[in-house]
Structures are given as structure tokens and as C-alpha cells.
Amino acid sequence: MIYNEIAKVISNEKIAENIYEAVLFSPKISNSSKPGQFINILPSNNWDKVMRRPMSIASQKNNNISIIYKVFGEGTDIMSKWTRNHKIDIIGPLGNYWENFSDKLPILIGGGVGIAPIINLHTLLDDLKIEHILIMGAKTKKEHFMNHDADNHILLCTDNGGLGIKGNILRPLYEIMKNMKIDDFKIF
């Protein structure tokens, strides 16, 4: 079911260079969303643009959802100024979600703020104790908001080698794939 909810900002913090995570109290959307889905946001009550801002749901639990976003334009600039208890008009959950990920080794790949739905799936797989690999890419160390942890299959890449593996996400993916049969894994 899709809901139009007036969410309340619990927190809105800068987590990396120009990247923020907002936690929103949104019980209906939190309790019905799944990894891969998104919400549409009115950044402010006086938003006069035709389109709301779509944002992937990075987590959902305890009646809260979180989004991870980078300030690119007017809408995300407004969002970066949200403060605790600010009320936000949102619609969701929208879109599809991932399923059928337990028959093969899931390899989760994303970069920048596009990693938000992948992090949501990563958390679900951790909760279900399903072994998987997470590969996250960014241009520089300053854009990462997770820790490189090869022992726990969290592989971070940077174009300049400032953190984790030097290069883009294809480098570790290639290393993983060359040691496995194509039927052994599924890429998300």
C-alpha cells in the first residue's frame, strides 16, 4: 500500500563530504517498505516545482526511515537545512523491491548516494544471516561513509586509492567473479 504521510525529522546529519543522512519518523511507510523502494518528498511546504524529489529508502525500522542524499540542487539544498521535528510531506513506499536472494551468493554493488537502497538490502541480508558481499565505490575517501572491512565482505573502492581498493567497483567484482562460476552468485 502507498501512503501520503507527514513525516517528522528525527535527525539530519552530514555523514561525508556534501552527503547527508536524514532519519524521518514515518510509521506507515516504515512498516510497509522493503529494500529497493523509495519515497517522493516535498522538500518544503512552499515547494513550487511540479515534481517531488525521489529518494531511496536506506533503512526502515522502529517507525523510522532514513534517506541518504547529496546536495546537488535547490531541493536537496533545502533538505540539508531540515532540523529536528521539521515536518515533511512524503509519499511511499514506491517502486519495486528485491527478493529471491538466498539461493546464490548476493553481490551488492553501488556508488555514491546511489548506494542507499543497496545498504538497505545489506542490512536485511545481515539480519537474515545471509552471506553476501558489498562493494561500494566513490571518487575519494571523503565521499565514503562506511568502513572498508574485507574480513566482513565490505569492499570500498576509491578512484584515487585513498581508501580501500584503488579503482572503480569493477576491480573487486572481477576478482570475485574469476574465482566463481556464473551460477554461484547474483548481482544486485
Side-chain angles (χ1 to χ4, degrees):
M1 180 163 236
I2 297 171
Y3 300 98
N4 186 187
E5 221 171 358
I6 302 301
K8 183 171 67 172
V9 175
I10 302 299
S11 65
N12 188 33
E13 298 178 6
K14 188 174 184 178
I15 59 172
E17 185 174 297
N18 208 27
I19 298 173
Y20 292 77
E21 179 178 31
V23 177
L24 308 174
F25 178 73
S26 175
K28 290 178 182 174
I29 294 172
S30 174
N31 291 313
S32 61
S33 65
K34 297 179 181 173
Q37 293 186 300
F38 68 98
I39 57 174
N40 272 332
I41 299 172
L42 280 178
S44 70
N45 289 336
N46 58 356
W47 185 251
D48 62 355
K49 310 295 186 264
V50 174
M51 299 285 294
R52 291 172 174 253
R53 294 293 163 249
M55 295 285 159
S56 294
I57 299 170
S59 70
Q60 66 277 319
K61 66 179 178 179
N62 301 327
N63 293 323
N64 296 329
I65 60 172
S66 71
I67 56 171
I68 296 172
Y69 62 96
K70 186 172 188 173
V71 178
F72 278 113
E74 184 182 349
T76 49
D77 183 57
I78 292 168
M79 291 166 55
S80 72
K81 294 171 177 66
W82 289 346
T83 58
R84 185 170 176 77
N85 295 322
H86 193 102
K87 293 198 169 45
I88 311 298
D89 186 325
I90 63 175
I91 298 173
L94 302 165
N96 297 317
Y97 53 90
W98 291 296
E99 52 189 350
N100 302 324
F101 37 72
S102 60
D103 59 334
K104 299 179 182 185
L105 175 69
I107 301 175
L108 314 180
I109 302 171
V113 293
I115 196 77
I118 299 294
I119 290 173
N120 199 345
L121 181 56
H122 164 72
T123 302
L124 175 65
L125 295 177
D126 274 352
D127 290 348
L128 296 174
K129 300 194 182 331
I130 296 174
E131 183 180 351
H132 63 284
I133 298 169
L134 171 63
I135 303 172
M136 179 181 174
K139 289 182 183 179
T140 67
K141 178 181 180 177
K142 292 179 181 179
E143 295 174 325
H144 274 299
F145 47 87
M146 295 181 71
N147 294 319
H148 180 80
D149 186 356
D151 291 338
N152 287 312
H153 307 289
I154 299 172
L155 307 174
L156 303 186
C157 306
T158 50
D159 293 352
N160 65 5
L163 178 66
I165 300 163
K166 183 177 182 177
N168 66 31
I169 54 90
L170 295 176
R171 189 167 195 165
L173 179 61
Y174 172 76
E175 292 300 318
I176 293 164
M177 290 176 64
K178 78 178 185 180
N179 296 315
M180 298 176 73
K181 293 183 287 190
I182 194 75
D183 292 335
D184 292 340
F185 61 88
K186 186 173 184 178
I187 298 175
F188 292 87

